[in-house]
Amino acid sequence: MPRLFDIVENPIEGSFSVSDDFKITESTPSNYNILRIIMGSTSVTNNDTFVTTHFTTNYLSLYYSFDNEKSTEENLAEILNESIELEDLKKFFFDRRFALKNKQFFSRLENEFCNFLTYQAKGNHTTAFIFLYRILEVISFSFPLIYASKTYDFKHTYGKLKEIFSNNSGNSKGELGFFKTAITVMFENSDLLETSIDIELNDEFEKNNKIYKALKSVCDDIIFHTDTIENSKISICFGEVSSFIITLRNRFFHLFNRGDRNLESIEIIDPDYLFSKLNEPLFTWVCVIYVEINKFLLEEHEKYVR
């Protein structure tokens, strides 16, 4: 699949150094490029419009520790597998024997990540949310299958898939329901499931009061974490974020006429204001999921090459 965007290094003051072996080039694989663009210090150019956007935000810094004295690749190594040697990390990302696996999938995903960040940088937050949802759809079925298929213990693979499929029932049916169930299974031993994604509503009370009431009215109570503060902060349980994103899509972009409660235009006042509050926290969650999948893939890769 051709790339819609060209990605280059764009070091800014205070950013991490990058050795030549880990610098982005025309041939670096998409799975590595995605990690780099969500860490900031990159620029992308749309090959159709020739518009260049600079990415400066490190979306991983809220959940992972970074050492400013270390290089990009050293920080990545500590996040993905603190015991790995840089030479092995380089093989994981750049050895053609492994980089070609799922190449088309990661190429599609790279385009969606770049589109989200580009529109977000433009302030087109409603459009950016569409690409956030597209990312969710791309990963919803593929990530759990990658997770399961990369376990070289066939009995373990069967057990994980059986658990995911058996729990994928009722209102959770379908690819997105499959993904939600998979998140619970994949992170069952992780503290992440106890955390929340926090959406801060802290500047314009009248708007935020309406947004808070509107979102609470269309979402199931199970979605909200106990850290939620009325009219001030909406906290979404880590394992319920995909449900929250789907509900937003359904209740805002699909104006159902069958009696469902919808997000009416009068309630949210300005869509771009609404999604300016929601997008970055939700995207951070997507980035965490992406990192955690790569942690697992690297772990399984190390088992395979030993």
Side-chain angles (χ1 to χ4, degrees), residues 120-135:
Q120 188 74 358
K122 290 178 180 179
N124 295 345
H125 302 294
T126 307
T127 303
F129 178 82
I130 294 172
F131 286 103
L132 177 65
Y133 184 82
R134 284 167 63 90
I135 292 172

Side-chain angles (χ1 to χ4, degrees), residues 12 16 33 123 187 191 239 254:
I12 58 176
F16 310 113
N33 289 345
F187 296 101
D191 291 337
H254 295 171

Side-chain angles (χ1 to χ4, degrees), residues 43-79:
S43 295
V44 303
T45 300
N46 186 304
N47 291 321
D48 287 335
T49 65
F50 305 107
V51 173
T52 297
T53 307
H54 306 297
F55 300 155
T56 59
T57 301
N58 183 352
Y59 286 95
L60 304 182
S61 60
L62 186 63
Y63 277 84
Y64 305 97
S65 297
F66 286 83
D67 187 337
N68 291 329
E69 301 300 318
K70 294 184 177 181
S71 66
T72 294
E73 58 269 25
E74 287 172 327
N75 276 295
L76 266 178
E78 291 201 358
I79 289 171

Side-chain angles (χ1 to χ4, degrees), residues 21-230:
D21 286 341
F22 285 87
K23 284 186 176 177
I24 294 174
T25 67
E26 291 182 355
S27 61
T28 49
S30 294
N31 62 326
Y32 176 73
N33 289 345
I34 293 171
L35 283 169
R36 291 298 315 282
I37 64 176
I38 63 180
M39 289 174 63
S41 301
T42 54
S43 295
V44 303
T45 300
N46 186 304
N47 291 321
D48 287 335
T49 65
F50 305 107
V51 173
T52 297
T53 307
H54 306 297
F55 300 155
T56 59
T57 301
N58 183 352
Y59 286 95
L60 304 182
S61 60
L62 186 63
Y63 277 84
Y64 305 97
S65 297
F66 286 83
D67 187 337
N68 291 329
E69 301 300 318
K70 294 184 177 181
S71 66
T72 294
E73 58 269 25
E74 287 172 327
N75 276 295
L76 266 178
E78 291 201 358
I79 289 171
L80 297 175
N81 185 335
E82 59 185 16
S83 63
I84 195 172
E85 299 292 333
L86 288 181
E87 189 63 30
D88 291 329
L89 186 67
K90 185 170 75 171
K91 288 179 182 178
F92 171 67
F93 283 122
F94 307 125
D95 190 317
R96 289 183 60 84
R97 290 175 298 171
F98 310 110
L100 291 177
K101 293 182 177 180
N102 301 304
K103 180 179 179 180
Q104 185 172 0
F105 165 76
F106 283 110
S107 179
R108 290 179 64 202
L109 197 56
E110 178 188 310
N111 286 338
E112 302 304 324
F113 269 81
C114 288
N115 265 320
F116 169 83
L117 289 169
T118 297
Y119 282 100
Q120 188 74 358
K122 290 178 180 179
N124 295 345
H125 302 294
T126 307
T127 303
F129 178 82
I130 294 172
F131 286 103
L132 177 65
Y133 184 82
R134 284 167 63 90
I135 292 172
L136 184 64
E137 286 205 320
V138 171
I139 68 177
S140 62
F141 208 72
S142 302
F143 270 14
L145 292 181
I146 290 173
Y147 170 83
S149 67
K150 291 295 184 180
T151 55
Y152 294 99
D153 178 344
F154 290 152
K155 183 178 180 180
H156 180 69
T157 300
Y158 171 78
K160 283 296 181 186
L161 283 175
K162 182 180 179 182
E163 185 176 356
I164 292 170
F165 277 113
S166 63
N167 289 332
N168 185 38
S169 59
N171 292 331
S172 295
K173 284 184 177 179
E175 289 188 8
L176 293 168
F178 178 79
F179 180 61
K180 177 184 174 182
T181 303
I183 292 295
T184 303
V185 173
M186 289 156 55
F187 296 101
E188 60 185 348
N189 297 318
S190 171
D191 291 337
L192 285 171
L193 282 181
E194 304 302 318
T195 65
S196 65
I197 298 297
D198 297 330
I199 299 162
E200 300 289 345
L201 305 173
N202 53 13
D203 47 8
E204 298 186 42
F205 177 79
E206 184 177 353
K207 285 184 179 180
N208 293 334
N209 181 41
K210 285 190 173 184
I211 289 173
Y212 179 87
K213 289 182 177 178
L215 292 179
K216 289 282 285 185
S217 71
V218 298
C219 297
D220 294 334
D221 287 340
I222 194 174
I223 287 176
F224 299 102
H225 193 274
T226 54
D227 286 347
T228 296
I229 302 173
E230 185 175 0

